[in-house]
Structure formats: C-alpha cells, structure tokens
Amino acid sequence: MKRWGLPLVIGLVSMSPFMNVASATQLSNGEELSAAVSLIAQTTDEPTDRVEQTWTLIRAARQYVASGQRQQATEQLLHANQVAMQVADKTNQDQLLLRIVMEHVQIGNDDLAIAITRTMRYDTLPSNACCLPVRVEAETAIAQAYINAGQYEQAQRFVRQQVETPAARDQVAVAVVANLAERERFEDAIAWTDQVADGYQQNIAQLAIVKGYANVSRFDDAWTLTQTINDPAVRSDAQLTLVQVALRSGQYDVARRVAAEAEPAEASIQLWNQLAQAYASVGQQAEAVAVLNQAYQQAASQPEPPSSALWIDNFAQIGAFDRALEIASRAEAGFETADARIRIARAYLTFGQYTQAYAMAQLVQDGELQVVADYPDPKSEVLDQVIGQAAKAGQHDFAMQVAQSYGTPEKRVKALQIIARQHIVRNQTDEAAEVLSQALEIANRIEQIPVSPERGTYYTISNADLLVEIALDYSRMAQRDRASTILAQAIQSTQALNEVSLNSTTHQVNTLKRIANLAIQLERPTQAREAADAALRLMTQLPASEFTAAYTIPSKMQLLATVASIYGTAGEVDRANAVIADAVAVRDTLTDEQQKVWGMVAIAEAYAATGQEQPLAATTAQTIQMINALGINGSRSWLTSRLAVAVVSSDTTSAIQVAYTLTDPGERAMVLADIVSKYMVNGQYPQAWAVMNWVQDSVKALPDAAQRDTLLNELIRTLSVPVNGGSISQYLLVGQLVNDVPSPPLKAYNWASVGQRYAELGEPTRANECLRFALDSIQAIAHPVQQRDAIAQIFDDLLQAGHYDLAMQVANWFEDTAYRTTALRQVAQRYVLAGQRARATEILTQLQ
C-alpha cells in the first residue's frame, strides 16, 4: 500500500480548516413541511451532532478521493477521527472508527489505519450486530490490503504483531483465507491456514478453500481437502457445499461419489436426498427414486431413524407418490395418517396436480389437524391452493366443485371469492358476477360466525365482514350500485346480531369503519353516515358492566374514538366532536401513562378523519411528548409509527411531521414506510408517492452503504406484500426503493422479486423489464462466481414460484455452459409437469 508519510500519532496532528458541508439531517423536500416538522421535532443532542459531523467529514474525504486529492482526503479523515473520539457512546465510537479505517485503507494509509485500529475494542459489534467485531473487521481490511498489494510478509507481520488477541488473529486469518480462495489463489490460502491456531477456526478456513475449489470445478482437490477437516459439523458443511455445486453444474457422478463416501451416516443420507431431488428436477425419475430408496434404507438402519413424516415429504417432493403413499399406509390411524395425507396433497400441488391434491385432502376430516381454534385448518389451506390453481388453469367447473365441498358456509364464501377474483383479473366480469352472486347467497344465510382470535377467547360476529369483501369485489368491477346495496345489507347485519359483548361490539364497530371507508370510495356519503350511526348504536347498547374492569376502560375510550373517526369519514364533524369529547373524558380517568398514549393515538386518528388541523396538531404534539416521557426506548419508534399511521389523511403533512420527530434516519424510514402502506391500503397513491420521497431521503441519510442495504431490503420486503391484490402503482413505488439499493447482488435479487409480482398481475412486459434491470445489476458484480451465485438464487426463486418463462430467461444468463444446461433442463421438466410438453421439447431440442 502507498504510504503518505504522515505522523502515526494522529491525535496531535494540527488540522487545516475543513469543508463546511451541510448536515445530512437537513430536510430536502421544501421549507413549508420543514416548518411543520419543527413544531414538534426534538432538538438533536450533542453526541448525535458529533456522529453527524464525523460522517460529514468522511463524505468530504470521499469527495476529495474522487477528485484525486488524496492529501486533502487524509486531512478530512484525521479530523473525522478527532471528532469520533469525542463520541461518548463507545459502541458508536468504534463503529465510526471502523468506517474511518476503511477509508484510510482504500487510499493506502496503512499506518494511520493501524493506529486507529489499536484504539478500538474487541467487544464492539457492527450496527447490525453481525458478524465480526468491528476491530476484527478493520484488522481484516488492513491485512487484505497488504495481500492485494502483494505484500505477504507485511500482512503476516501485521497479524502476528498488531492483532492483539489469539481469537482475533484467527478470525482475521480465516477471512484472508476466504478472500484468497475466492480469488483462486489456493496455494496462498493453504499457506495462510498455518496462521490459524484454533483447530475449529482452521477447519472453517479449510471449508472456505473447499468452496473455492468447488466453484472452479476442482472437485478432486476439494474432496481431498474435505477429508482433512476434523470437526464433523464443518466437514458435513464442506461435503454439502461440494455436492450442491456439483449438482448445479450437472456433475451428478461427483455428487454420487461424495454421498457414497461421506461420513457420518447422517451427512451421507442428507447428500443422497440432495442428489435425488436434483435427478428429479431434470426428469431423471428412476435415478431419483433409486437414490432416495438407498438413503431411506441407510436411514432405517440407524439407531434413531428419522420420522416417517420426513420420508413421506422426501419421496413426495420428487414425485414418487406411490412410495410416499406406501410409507403413509404404515402410519398410525388418526392424526398421523391425516398429517401424512396433507403432506402428500401439498406435494401434489407443487407439481401442479391439483385434482390429485383435492382427492387426497378429501380423505382428511374437516378440522382433524386443527389443533386449536385460533390455528388455521391445514385442509382448508390445501383446498384454497387447489381452487387457486384450478381457477388459474381455467378449470372453473372443478374449482366450483371444490368450493362447494368446504365444511363451513363462511369458508365456501371465501373459496368462491378466490374463483371470482381470477375472473376479475382476466376481465371476465360476467363470470365473476355470477360466482359472486352465489357467494352472496350463501353469505346471506349465515346468521353468526364464531371467532377465536386467541386461545381462550371466543365470541360471535355477524356476516358483515363477508359482505364487505363481496362488495369490494363488485367495486373492483366498477359495479358501484351493486356494491352499495351489499354494504347496506352489511350495516343491517351488524345491528341484527344478538350478542352484546365488548369483543363482539369492537369487531363490529371496526367492520362499520371499513364500510364507511368503502362507501366514501363509492361516493355514497349518506351510507357512510348510516354506518357511523350504526356504530354509535352498538356502542351505546353495551351495558356499563362491560367497562368495570380496569383493562376495559381503555377499550371504551378506543371504541368511542373509532366511532368518532367513522363520523369524521362521513363528514359529520359536529357528531364526531361530540363523541371525541366523551373519549377525552374517559382518557382523563386513566392513570396508566401507556394506556393514555393509546387513547391519544385513537383521538388523533379521529381528528385526522374530521380534517380539523388545529386540534389534530395539538393532540399530536401532546401525544409525542407523552411518548418521549415514557422513556421506553424500544417502544418509542413503534408508538410513533402507530401515531403516524393514525393521523394519515388526504394531507401528508401531519403524518410526516410525526415521523420526523425520530432523529434516527433508519427508524424514521420504517415509520414513513408504514405511512406509505396505509395510503396504499386506502388506494391513495398520489399521497403514497409523496411520502415515498421522504422514505428515500431518510434512507439516504444513513451514511453507511451496508446499513442502507439492510434497511432497504427490509422496506422492500414489507412494501412488496400485495395490497388489495397488488397493483402496478404499488410495484412502481417499490421499484423506487430497489433502484436505491447499493449492493448489486441485493439490487438484482429485489428487481427479480418485483418482476415476480408483475408476472402475478399478468404484466409480462413489466416483469421482463424488471429482469433486465436485475441483469444490469448482476453485470455490475465484479467477481464471476458471485455473479453466478446471484443468478442461481434468482433462478431458484422464479422456478419455485412457478414463473417458468422468467426462469428460462434467467437460466440463459449463466455464462458457464454446464450451469446453463442444467438450469434449462430444470425448466423443461417443470413444463412437462405442467402439461406443456411442446414447450419442454423446444427447450431440450435447443440443448442438443
């Protein structure tokens, strides 16, 4: 590494004036909202200022590096170190020092990097609490920089003399070995294993070399090295890695040899199972069954053979249903037999054989596997998937037959809706309406439905929830009058239910809130007012005895606030304020501060629904003060999120204002994402887009790329869950976040995931566009093996999800012929199972 010749004792270096860079916490979306935020935002404390100033200097250094001014960059980093050393929290301090060390390493300041590292502790973990201590991570970066510069002796001297603990020396050496092996410098990697003193850590280093050998198809070398690994668990991992790489490249003979010679027996059985699944995935069924039979016999001879359920799954998953049924026939009658049949039914579904899955599921009694009432019934879950597959395949008569076989009328209603929604997706409105009319007929015959939200809690509700869902389906087909008529029936149902209890009333009031929201979307304000009146009647019918216990008084306040918000939605501001006054009176009787906070959140939601800005602002500010006064760090962001979502309205200002009371940009981004979700649920996509800009700003305020990766991945996963069946608008929003992901592999994976969502919407053009973005990201990955791994992960997910056309595109991204051939054979086999033999033949012909 290049040395700048700067003094090693960096604390005594005098600094020139540094750049005046604007704070990253400065808002960028306009002065008007910034002023609103300032009404209730908390003043940033001094330690946070030091953290932010440190990052400002680091960013300034990066700008100097980008312009080739390394001396100036070094000065900025030296100043950053001085500021970081003043941070009181030692964990934050070490995490900052790690970033400064990394910046020095990148520009060749090895002496400075070493000096800073020596001031760090070995017990500080990174911000994501994984995986190496920050000092070890810093020391690893220094050692690898020496290696990259060809300075092997300096690297070894550094590890021996500067890394202070034996455990840290081993961790640094293992990381260096992994880096060398990935770059195919195997002799150097093997030599570096001698630096590792601990036997287990040495085995971990050897595992890294095994992976490196396997990735370049040096399977003999990999196997030989595997035999020298002493730790059984690490040796099993090495054998499994070797087999998986061999199978992905179609070298089944290598996998078979490893499986035959692997020890202990448990490892060998696992490898045989992997090989069987690989044979089955490319259509070699006979080989798959033979291999799995061998594994089964080997397992049966063990002192503690695995359960029969595991082997039922194993054989069924490779399509050997006769063998799975044979094993299932030996199960004990009752629960064990029913469980075996559901396992086989699920396997049938993975092969698209929904008629066989239905026949198998019908052998199980309704509720036979439902351990307790608040758990779903596995049989019903299988039948739902059967209907979904059949309807998607256009087999609507069969789907209707299955729907009529459900044990309870409410489940039959939901099953018919699955069919209707497939018609809606295909714009077959007449067919959808016909199915929905049957669902409505059944729903109207239901007088009450038992509910068990948690163990030991039981009550009954009306059929209103079912009716609201049917009304939603009609509204999606733009049949507003029909939807409104059904909503009227739903309101009547909430009043006709003969159960006066807190749980039941709470459920019914929340249902009436949904009815009012949908009525407003249908432009039926009168109906929304009727829902509000119905909610108030239910509330007033509750006897005083329901609110005698201390824990039920907050429930009364919550109910009143909900009723008020319904009136607000209906445009009845005066009626809403009267009910809010009752809720405030109840709140004032509470002594528990956290219960008061929940009451304030509910009242703020009611004010948001009425659109009254001044009382909303006052209530929101008071609630935030109460949240901060609670002093529960783990609950602050969560309670703030609930408040932000509660005050969501057509104006985004109040909700964003609440989110910006959190100074941590990561926490703030999560709260803002919750606001986006609420807007999406409400169908308010212009507002969702506006808030998404703030989400992106908060993410960008995280200066560390790894932190941004972690946060963005979590946000993308959360916001990708289909809202109201999913929509183009939703996935365009998610795509905004994907575009910001720093890591190319993670960006590629997330683009492919969004592509899946578009494919599920029947948007192949958009799905293909997302795959092109994913490919662009993969091509930005520097290392060929990492590129290949990223492609493999995307391919596996698409194949498993049943998107075979997309999977075939990804298979062609493999540059290695063996990998590409194996992947395309897997796609061809899936087409065979789906009954599209012509498509499969076309693929296989191209491979010849």
Side-chain angles (χ1 to χ4, degrees):
M1 290 188 292
K2 183 176 179 180
R3 302 172 186 268
W4 287 100
L6 294 173
L8 198 59
V9 186
I10 58 178
L12 301 179
V13 176
S14 61
M15 295 297 303
S16 58
F18 60 93
M19 292 177 62
N20 181 16
V21 182
S23 170
T25 58
Q26 181 179 349
L27 302 181
S28 58
N29 282 30
E31 295 181 359
E32 182 178 349
L33 187 52
S34 298
V37 172
S38 67
L39 292 175
I40 56 176
Q42 304 299 306
T43 302
T44 304
D45 57 14
E46 185 179 356
T48 304
D49 287 341
R50 294 193 188 105
V51 170
E52 182 53 44
Q53 186 182 3
T54 303
W55 275 111
T56 298
L57 291 162
I58 291 172
R59 283 190 288 267
R62 290 172 179 171
Q63 292 176 357
Y64 278 125
V65 171
S67 61
Q69 301 179 69
R70 293 190 173 186
Q71 182 69 36
Q72 292 87 335
T74 300
E75 292 176 356
Q76 296 298 310
L77 293 175
L78 288 169
H79 196 166
N81 183 78
Q82 290 179 328
V83 176
M85 293 300 291
Q86 299 174 40
V87 173
D89 186 288
K90 294 300 182 183
T91 297
N92 288 342
Q93 183 185 100
D94 280 351
Q95 290 170 354
L96 288 170
L97 293 177
L98 170 63
R99 303 320 313 167
I100 296 170
V101 168
M102 294 300 196
E103 301 296 326
H104 276 304
V105 167
Q106 288 181 16
I107 58 177
N109 294 341
D110 53 324
D111 285 345
L112 290 174
I114 292 169
I116 297 171
T117 301
R118 290 175 67 92
T119 68
M120 299 166 65
R121 299 175 304 165
Y122 278 115
D123 58 354
T124 302
L125 290 175
S127 57
N128 62 356
C130 178
C131 297
L132 293 175
V134 292
R135 175 163 175 174
V136 174
E137 191 174 343
E139 290 169 336
T140 299
I142 294 169
Q144 289 185 343
Y146 279 123
I147 293 291
N148 294 341
Q151 299 174 344
Y152 296 99
E153 291 183 6
Q154 291 93 324
Q156 291 179 352
R157 189 183 309 117
F158 165 73
V159 174
R160 285 195 303 266
Q161 297 178 2
Q162 302 291 343
V163 181
E164 295 179 0
T165 70
R169 284 195 289 273
D170 283 347
Q171 289 174 317
V172 172
V174 168
V176 170
V177 169
N179 178 271
L180 290 168
E182 187 177 66
R183 295 162 59 193
E184 301 177 35
R185 294 166 60 174
F186 297 112
E187 291 184 4
D188 294 331
I190 293 170
W192 262 83
T193 59
D194 294 337
Q195 299 285 322
V196 183
D198 179 76
Y200 175 76
Q201 290 293 334
Q202 190 171 70
N203 286 167
I204 295 297
Q206 291 170 313
L207 171 60
I209 299 173
V210 168
K211 290 179 180 178
Y213 277 138
N215 282 328
V216 293
S217 300
R218 289 177 59 174
F219 295 113
D220 290 339
D221 291 328
W223 175 248
T224 300
L225 184 57
T226 298
Q227 299 299 92
T228 68
I229 297 176
N230 298 321
D231 186 276
V234 180
R235 185 168 62 251
S236 293
D237 285 346
Q239 293 165 348
L240 181 60
T241 297
L242 182 53
V243 165
Q244 288 175 335
V245 174
L247 293 176
R248 194 173 286 283
S249 60
Q251 301 194 52
Y252 303 116
D253 56 333
V254 172
R256 184 184 287 270
R257 187 169 70 249
V258 175
E261 298 181 19
E263 294 179 351
E266 292 82 0
S268 177
I269 292 167
Q270 183 184 15
L271 298 180
W272 286 122
N273 190 27
Q274 291 271 328
L275 180 58
Q277 291 183 29
Y279 275 131
S281 72
V282 294
Q284 298 185 31
Q285 187 71 10
E287 291 86 346
V289 174
V291 166
L292 198 55
N293 272 325
Q294 184 171 346
Y296 181 63
Q297 295 301 325
Q298 188 175 356
S301 66
Q302 298 303 305
E304 295 183 8
S307 68
S308 59
L310 173 65
W311 289 100
I312 290 169
D313 278 342
N314 288 344
F315 279 105
Q317 286 168 6
I318 67 168
F321 292 106
D322 291 343
R323 192 77 171 92
L325 288 166
E326 178 191 337
I327 298 172
S329 68
R330 299 197 289 271
E332 291 185 12
F335 186 93
E336 192 174 318
T337 296
D339 177 67
R341 287 168 173 166
I342 289 298
R343 288 173 181 273
I344 294 172
R346 286 173 176 152
Y348 274 128
L349 285 168
T350 63
F351 286 91
Q353 299 178 21
Y354 49 84
T355 56
Q356 294 90 330
Y358 175 61
M360 186 60 59
Q362 284 298 87
L363 298 175
V364 178
Q365 298 297 316
D366 292 336
E368 190 174 359
L369 294 174
Q370 191 171 14
V371 182
V372 289
D374 53 318
Y375 282 19
D377 181 4
K379 177 183 176 180
S380 294
E381 291 180 327
V382 168
L383 294 183
D384 286 349
Q385 292 181 58
V386 167
I387 290 175
Q389 286 192 10
K392 193 173 182 179
Q395 299 297 316
H396 296 290
D397 291 342
F398 178 73
M400 292 291 290
Q401 175 191 338
V402 178
Q404 299 299 339
S405 71
Y406 279 76
T408 62
E410 57 267 24
K411 287 181 179 178
R412 288 198 290 276
V413 170
K414 293 176 182 178
L416 288 167
Q417 283 188 278
I418 294 174
I419 301 170
R421 286 166 183 169
Q422 279 293 328
H423 283 304
I424 292 172
V425 167
R426 299 180 180 187
N427 293 320
Q428 298 169 337
T429 54
D430 291 342
E431 293 85 347
E434 182 180 348
V435 177
L436 286 175
S437 67
Q438 296 183 43
L440 182 61
E441 183 180 351
I442 297 172
N444 281 328
R445 294 199 296 266
I446 299 173
E447 295 184 359
Q448 60 183 28
I449 301 171
V451 175
S452 176
E454 57 186 25
R455 207 163 304 172
T457 303
Y458 299 92
Y459 57 89
T460 60
I461 59 173
S462 71
N463 66 350
D465 287 309
L466 296 176
L467 296 174
V468 171
E469 289 298 321
I470 295 172
L472 274 169
D473 286 333
Y474 275 110
S475 71
R476 291 183 184 117
M477 297 188 294
Q479 297 189 22
R480 293 188 171 191
D481 290 342
R482 186 66 172 140
S484 179
T485 299
I486 296 170
L487 287 184
Q489 295 174 248
I491 294 173
Q492 293 172 3
S493 293
T494 64
Q495 306 299 290
L497 182 67
N498 188 24
E499 177 170 342
V500 182
S501 71
L502 178 59
N503 285 329
S504 179
T505 298
T506 300
H507 189 106
Q508 300 287 87
V509 167
N510 286 326
T511 300
L512 286 161
K513 184 177 180 181
R514 293 183 65 205
I515 291 171
N517 289 334
L518 181 54
I520 293 300
Q521 291 178 29
L522 296 172
E523 299 179 349
R524 303 293 195 275
T526 300
Q527 198 162 47
R529 288 193 290 274
E530 291 171 357
D533 290 338
L536 183 60
R537 281 195 297 272
L538 288 176
M539 176 68 202
T540 56
Q541 287 169 6
L542 280 173
S545 59
E546 287 291 314
F547 302 110
T548 54
Y551 69 88
T552 59
I553 296 175
S555 299
K556 180 178 182 179
M557 176 184 56
Q558 194 89 26
L559 265 177
L560 286 166
T562 302
V563 172
S565 70
I566 301 174
Y567 273 118
T569 299
E572 295 283 339
V573 177
D574 291 341
R575 297 291 300 275
N577 284 339
V579 181
I580 289 173
D582 292 339
V584 170
V586 175
R587 181 206 63 197
D588 291 342
T589 67
L590 297 174
T591 57
D592 183 279
E593 291 301 317
Q594 194 155 358
Q595 289 181 347
K596 280 187 178 181
V597 168
W598 279 115
M600 294 294 289
V601 169
I603 291 167
E605 183 174 13
Y607 277 128
T610 63
Q612 300 179 85
E613 294 182 6
Q614 289 186 347
L616 173 60
T619 303
T620 301
Q622 185 180 353
T623 307
I624 288 171
Q625 290 177 355
M626 294 170 67
I627 289 172
N628 292 337
L630 284 175
I632 307 174
N633 292 332
S635 299
R636 184 183 175 195
S637 62
W638 185 68
L639 289 169
T640 303
S641 176
R642 302 285 71 75
L643 176 62
V645 170
V647 302
V648 163
S649 63
S650 58
D651 179 8
T652 63
T653 302
S654 296
I656 297 175
Q657 175 182 324
V658 172
Y660 265 87
T661 63
L662 295 171
T663 55
D664 180 270
E667 291 182 350
R668 187 167 66 237
M670 293 299 294
V671 172
L672 289 164
D674 288 340
I675 299 170
V676 172
S677 293
K678 181 68 176 290
Y679 278 127
M680 290 195 300
V681 168
N682 293 343
Q684 297 171 283
Y685 278 97
Q687 290 87 344
W689 274 102
V691 179
M692 183 60 81
N693 291 329
W694 293 87
V695 174
Q696 291 177 276
D697 282 350
S698 291
V699 173
K700 290 172 184 175
L702 285 171
D704 182 63
Q707 290 179 339
R708 291 200 300 276
D709 271 334
T710 301
L711 177 59
L712 283 167
N713 199 46
E714 186 173 355
L715 292 172
I716 291 164
R717 186 174 63 250
T718 300
L719 294 176
S720 292
V721 176
V723 174
N724 298 325
S727 66
I728 292 174
S729 295
Q730 178 182 354
Y731 303 133
L732 285 173
L733 274 169
V734 175
Q736 289 286 100
L737 291 178
V738 177
N739 203 45
D740 290 341
V741 174
S743 164
L746 198 57
K747 179 180 283 191
Y749 179 79
N750 280 305
W751 272 128
S753 296
V754 176
Q756 279 194 52
R757 297 298 189 188
Y758 278 125
E760 290 159 6
L761 282 183
E763 293 284 339
T765 301
R766 292 183 183 275
N768 291 335
E769 185 179 37
C770 286
L771 282 192
R772 286 195 296 273
F773 294 153
L775 180 57
D776 289 342
S777 299
I778 284 174
Q779 290 173 341
I781 300 172
H783 198 283
V785 171
Q786 293 176 356
Q787 280 192 358
R788 194 173 66 196
D789 289 345
I791 295 170
Q793 184 180 19
I794 293 171
F795 172 80
D796 288 344
D797 283 354
L798 290 171
L799 195 67
Q800 188 66 30
H803 299 297
Y804 305 143
D805 287 348
L806 297 180
M808 185 170 66
Q809 289 184 50
V810 175
N812 282 307
W813 294 353
F814 284 114
E815 291 188 3
D816 187 294
T817 303
Y819 280 78
R820 184 168 62 253
T821 299
T822 302
L824 288 171
R825 289 177 67 191
Q826 289 177 302
V827 176
Q829 176 62 13
R830 291 300 182 109
Y831 277 125
V832 169
L833 295 171
Q836 300 182 45
R837 291 186 173 274
R839 192 83 172 101
T841 301
E842 179 184 345
I843 295 172
L844 294 174
T845 300
Q846 293 176 359
L847 294 176
Q848 293 175 356

